[in-house]
Amino acid sequence: MEKPKVSSDSRVFRVQPQNSVKGKRSKAQDVEQLKLTEVLKLPFDAFYEACGVNQSVNVDYASPIRFCGACWKANVRNGAILAREAGMKNGENVVIFNLLPKAGGALANGLDPVQTVKQGPSDAFYEPEFKVVVKEFQQISHNPDADVLKTFIAERKALTMHRLNFHAEVVKWEIEVRTRKNQEEQEQLQHRRRAIEDKLRELGYDPSEYPSNNSDFTGMLLQYRPLTPKIWNTILPKLTRILDEERKRRAEIEFKNKWRERREQLEKHYTQFLQEDRDGSAQKRTFPGFEDAIAQARHVLTGNEPKHDVTEAEFAAFEAAVLGYVDKYRAKARTELVKKLQEATAALSGQPAKKAKKGKGTGLDRDAEMALLDEQSSLFLCQWHYGPYNPECVGDKPYAVLLEHWQQCHSSTPWHADVIIYPGVHDANHIPRLARALGLPEDAKLSAILDVIYQGRPECACGSDPYPAFAQEPQYQTFTRLFMHVNDRQYG
């Protein structure tokens, strides 16, 4: 039989020599005459010798062949095309398709025993064997003894049926092996899970407390490796950390549900409080969002029964608690953003961009931090616009605008700078154009630009009025939209 074709994009060409055709029988004709190792290696060895691919998943045990995807396409071809290329006559090609098994892959014929061979031109066949069978058929067709051809056809059909059934038996065996393996693996997983659950129970953690969607926790719980003392000592701190965080999360939900009515009253009052004299006082624009505010006033929230309305005195106490926290909140946000600028500056200068540790300062005093945040290059992006889309998260924002954005858009989430990124100086290079459009010097500080924007409705030097495009958006977005406008960006 001729060598199998190797796909044109294969990188390794190692073709094993094939047996030559002798007489009327070929290597593909009789499974019983194949070398046993060549047949039995197919279910166990995914290495295809022709092109060297280690994971050749296309296999047919009736042929028997195993190919990578590209080589399968090159060697297993449509029967009608093969017959036409072999120059077969119409009457001949009706018979030829039943004289060797079609190469349809693992489940092409199902798993039921084949009683009658019914194959046709629409089926695919292994080309090297197809050519051998065609050649033998054409040679015997010229024999004056018609019984020779009948015998040949009958034997070939019987052999084809035998090989198709052999293929089905091997596939069934493979399925049984995989099923048993899956069952064994599931038993291993469950054995490890039960062992971990028993140990966690001893420490006071019940399975009902496990997080439902934590991949790290589930990954440690469900593994095939048995739970050894060494593994247990390694994963225990990680498991308890996750479980303690889950307990805290659930307790917070339970707390919010219990005090829901009073929370809603305080939130409504705080929203109104933030809007009072907001235009006249820029200070309230950088107050904390409600979730940060309520964390400082839990004593007010829980100072009465859950069903009791919040009193005027309690509202006043809530405001006082927030006012006492504002400077600390601003300092926390300011320091975290300055750290991002420092890390980015170090990276640009070729120094190792070490991530600042939580709780560590910037090495600058308050005035120096504010001066750095007032530079034109100090713009930030709220990364949440990459997730659940929120149009207010889009665009570059100075420090003050970013805090106002958090207060208005993410008030239900405590401030955390993890979702804030520093995009670099590329966008900031266009700030002089914005300053010039607003009638300011090109080197104007960000605070000066914001002062002009907040004083009313500034006109752009280009003569067009961009405001109608974002008239319904919060005022703090004006900086971002004007910045987009002067740089010919679309309103996102």
Side-chain angles (χ1 to χ4, degrees), residues 53-284:
V53 173
N54 289 326
Q55 293 297 322
S56 300
V57 296
N58 300 281
V59 62
D60 192 290
Y61 301 116
S63 293
I65 52 175
R66 179 184 288 278
F67 287 119
C68 67
C71 291
W72 178 277
K73 186 176 181 180
N75 287 276
V76 179
R77 302 177 62 206
N78 176 265
I81 296 175
L82 289 173
R84 184 170 62 251
E85 291 176 352
M88 298 201 68
K89 301 175 182 178
N90 291 336
E92 293 175 335
N93 62 21
V94 174
V95 178
I96 198 68
F97 299 121
N98 290 320
L99 303 187
L100 74 162
K102 64 182 180 181
L107 296 175
N109 299 305
L111 298 178
D112 295 329
V114 178
Q115 303 294 337
T116 305
V117 180
K118 294 181 179 179
Q119 301 175 154
S122 61
D123 293 314
F125 298 88
Y126 179 41
E127 183 176 0
E129 183 182 8
F130 188 90
K131 290 181 177 180
V132 170
V133 173
V134 168
K135 184 177 180 180
E136 292 176 326
F137 177 81
Q138 290 174 335
Q139 289 174 348
I140 296 174
S141 296
H142 294 94
N143 193 307
D145 188 349
D147 291 337
V148 175
L149 180 59
K150 290 181 181 179
T151 301
F152 174 77
I153 293 174
E155 289 179 351
R156 290 296 312 183
K157 285 185 175 180
L159 179 58
T160 298
M161 184 170 65
H162 175 77
R163 291 168 63 180
L164 290 172
N165 286 325
F166 170 78
H167 170 88
E169 288 298 319
V170 176
V171 172
K172 282 194 290 187
W173 171 80
E174 281 186 320
I175 293 174
E176 291 171 0
V177 169
R178 284 198 297 268
T179 301
R180 286 198 301 271
K181 183 181 179 181
N182 289 338
Q183 291 173 345
E184 292 171 359
E185 290 176 344
Q186 286 301 313
E187 290 174 1
Q188 292 172 355
L189 290 176
Q190 297 308 319
H191 180 76
R192 177 186 170 109
R193 179 183 62 80
R194 289 191 294 268
I196 293 177
E197 285 180 353
D198 290 342
K199 289 183 174 293
L200 288 175
R201 279 195 186 94
E202 294 175 1
L203 298 174
Y205 297 99
D206 190 79
S208 62
E209 299 180 275
Y210 295 174
S212 59
N213 58 351
N214 189 301
S215 59
D216 292 336
F217 185 85
T218 304
M220 289 184 284
L221 197 67
L222 299 176
Q223 287 189 19
Y224 299 124
R225 289 181 293 178
L227 184 67
T228 63
K230 182 178 180 181
I231 291 177
W232 172 245
N233 291 333
T234 301
I235 67 174
L236 177 59
K238 302 174 185 177
L239 291 171
T240 54
R241 176 184 57 79
I242 294 173
L243 288 169
D244 289 340
E245 289 176 354
E246 179 67 10
R247 279 180 171 178
K248 182 179 178 181
R249 187 187 70 83
R250 293 186 184 185
E252 185 66 20
I253 293 174
E254 184 178 352
F255 178 86
K256 288 181 179 180
N257 288 335
K258 179 179 179 180
W259 300 96
R260 182 180 301 279
E261 292 184 14
R262 287 174 62 84
R263 272 180 58 91
E264 290 175 351
Q265 292 176 25
L266 284 170
E267 184 172 12
K268 182 178 180 180
H269 173 81
Y270 188 56
T271 300
Q272 294 173 344
F273 170 74
L274 290 175
Q275 298 305 317
E276 293 172 0
D277 195 32
R278 192 178 185 88
D279 294 333
S281 172
Q283 295 299 314
K284 284 190 176 180

Side-chain angles (χ1 to χ4, degrees), residues 373-442:
L373 291 171
D374 205 19
E375 295 294 331
Q376 291 187 354
S377 60
S378 299
L379 299 177
F380 301 91
L381 281 172
C382 179
Q383 207 171 8
W384 270 346
H385 81 268
Y386 293 120
Y389 180 73
N390 189 324
E392 294 179 24
C393 293
V394 175
D396 303 283
K397 295 173 174 55
Y399 159 74
V401 174
L402 184 65
L403 286 193
E404 186 171 5
H405 164 71
W406 195 277
Q407 177 201 102
Q408 295 294 303
C409 193
H410 305 303
S411 63
S412 61
T413 304
W415 162 267
H416 60 104
D418 294 343
V419 297
I420 306 301
I421 61 174
Y422 174 61
V425 299
H426 174 72
D427 288 350
N429 290 334
H430 301 290
I431 289 292
R433 187 183 301 176
L434 174 62
R436 194 167 58 247
L438 295 174
L440 295 170
E442 287 191 352

